[in-house]
Amino acid sequence: MTNQQMEWTGWLPTTTPETEPYWKAANAGVLLLQKCAACARTQYYYRAHCSHCWSSEIEDLPSSGRGTVWTFSVVYRNATPEYNEDVPYVVGLVELEGGVKMLSKIVGGDPEAVDFGTPVQVIFARSPSGQNVPLFTVVESSPEEPAASAA
């Protein structure tokens, strides 16, 4: 990847009062997860209640943005105008450090080189409206440095 900011041309979710902190954090280059103060479990996607115990004692938890590809698909055909110029591209379920999984586009490098367990790191693409959208890029691990763990 270059240092140049990627541009997001796809659809954007609607920001609601409930999700506004998540999108503000994305604009600051931070991927937010949530941790429940009642049961101590981590969750993604951003919401008002714990998906495990239904407590409303949810706290923001900035993510390291590191993870591994849990499963994926290489898309070769897409008739949707916002996405058809990008084929082939990878859509995958990324297991982040902390154990939560996030569905995302995986960019950078050869789509055919992505595999189960490939280390990835969050990056942000800027939409025309100015909203940052989290994506993941493949991380090349050096021989002396182990691949990112999905601990």
Side-chain angles (χ1 to χ4, degrees):
M1 296 291 344
T2 65
N3 289 336
Q4 183 177 355
Q5 172 114 36
M6 288 190 63
E7 183 179 331
W8 177 257
T9 57
W11 299 332
L12 285 174
T14 302
T15 300
T16 66
E18 182 176 288
T19 63
E20 187 175 10
Y22 175 84
W23 292 110
K24 280 186 176 180
N27 284 344
V30 175
L31 177 63
L32 274 187
L33 305 178
Q34 292 176 307
K35 187 165 188 170
C36 178
C39 72
R41 295 192 58 190
T42 304
Q43 70 182 17
Y44 176 85
Y45 60 91
Y46 205 87
R47 56 197 129 185
H49 292 88
C50 177
S51 61
H52 307 285
C53 74
W54 293 95
S55 170
S56 60
E57 297 178 52
I58 303 296
E59 301 169 350
D60 289 342
L61 177 65
S63 170
S64 69
R66 292 185 299 269
T68 56
V69 175
W70 194 76
T71 192
F72 68 98
S73 180
V74 180
V75 178
Y76 294 98
R77 292 179 58 179
N78 190 332
T80 307
E82 293 85 0
Y83 302 97
N84 66 1
E85 292 180 15
D86 292 340
V87 296
Y89 61 89
V90 179
V91 175
L93 194 58
V94 172
E95 185 169 25
L96 295 166
E97 290 178 344
V100 298
K101 294 177 181 77
M102 180 177 177
L103 188 63
S104 178
K105 188 173 183 182
I106 300 170
V107 299
D110 178 8
E112 296 293 331
V114 173
D115 205 352
F116 306 105
T118 298
V120 292
Q121 173 69 45
V122 74
I123 60 170
F124 293 89
R126 175 80 66 185
S127 74
S129 71
Q131 179 61 59
N132 276 354
V133 176
L135 304 172
F136 287 86
T137 188
V138 172
V139 174
E140 300 299 326
S141 58
S142 64
E144 51 292 330
E145 183 181 320
S149 170

